[in-house]
Structures are given as structure tokens and as C-alpha cells.
Amino acid sequence: MPDAAKFRQTLSVLYRRFNALQRDEKRCFGVTLSQCVTVEVLHEAGPQPMRELAARLGVDTSTVTRVVDVLERDGLVRRTRDAQRDSRRVFVSLTEAGRRLARRLEACADAYCERILARIPGERREDVLHALGVLCEAIEQWPAACGPGFQEES
């Protein structure tokens, strides 16, 4: 199997299994995984304009709008307009209830990751963390839009 195909398959399995396990860990908080990720991003990055929040989440603005609608209804986020610069610009921020949820989600994720790390032999953990860091750097360097090599074949 070529390296690229093996790499793709390994990442795909890792992504699916990690997300499935993480979803099971967090569903007891009464929010969907999309809502969890939105709360976590707002907790980490602070108030975000809707457009930038959508970009951070890697989804369309209409998708993040639907997620934020539910979070706002549940009292976890609030929307405010940028009255000083551009009143059309809407910011999303966590409420106090949203910050409490974010801290609980963070603790849950840390405990989940600790259990995974405990299954990796101690002498290999630093190697795994280093390799994941290198992978993240390589992914961050890739342009957001489809670049050369992704054109449709005729």
C-alpha cells in the first residue's frame, strides 16, 4: 500500500474512533458534539464574530448559526453587535453558564486523554506527542482552499 493511502486510512480510523469515543464521553452534558466544539472554541479563543467562528469550526456560517441558535436558547452563549465599528457584525460569547459547561467539558476531555495516554507505554508518549505536533504543523501549513493537485479530472 502506498504511504499516502496508508496515512489517509490511519488518519480516517483515528478520526472516527476518537470522535465516537469523545462523543460518548460528552453526551452526558446534554449537548451535541457540534455544540461542544463550539463552546470549547469560544472558551479557548474568547468572543468571536460569527464568520470567524464558522472558519475556526470549519463549517458554513449558516451551520454555525443553527448551532449558536440552540446554544443561545439554552443560555450558554449570547450574541452582541459591534456597535462601535460595524453594527452588522455579530459577536458570539459564552455566558457564565457557558463558561461553566466549557470547564466541565475541558475536564472531561483531559480525563479522556489521560486514559488514552495511560495505554501508551511511558517511554513512547513523548514520541507520540512529538509526532502529533509535527502532523499538526504540516496540516496548518496547507492552504485552506483546494490547491494545486485537487482539480477535477475531465
Side-chain angles (χ1 to χ4, degrees), residues 42 46-50 52-53 68 72 77-83 85-86 88-93:
L42 289 169
Q48 296 288 300
M50 288 289 281
E52 289 177 29
L53 180 58
V68 167
E72 186 176 40
V77 301
R78 77 174 56 85
R79 291 181 180 139
T80 54
R81 295 204 177 269
D82 183 359
R85 292 187 188 165
D86 182 353
R88 295 170 296 176
R89 197 168 162 178
V90 176
F91 281 81
V92 181
S93 60

Side-chain angles (χ1 to χ4, degrees), residues 57-85:
L57 294 168
V59 298
D60 294 332
T61 304
S62 61
T63 301
V64 81
T65 298
R66 287 190 298 275
V67 171
V68 167
D69 285 345
V70 173
L71 292 171
E72 186 176 40
R73 179 199 70 203
D74 294 344
L76 299 170
V77 301
R78 77 174 56 85
R79 291 181 180 139
T80 54
R81 295 204 177 269
D82 183 359
Q84 294 177 345
R85 292 187 188 165

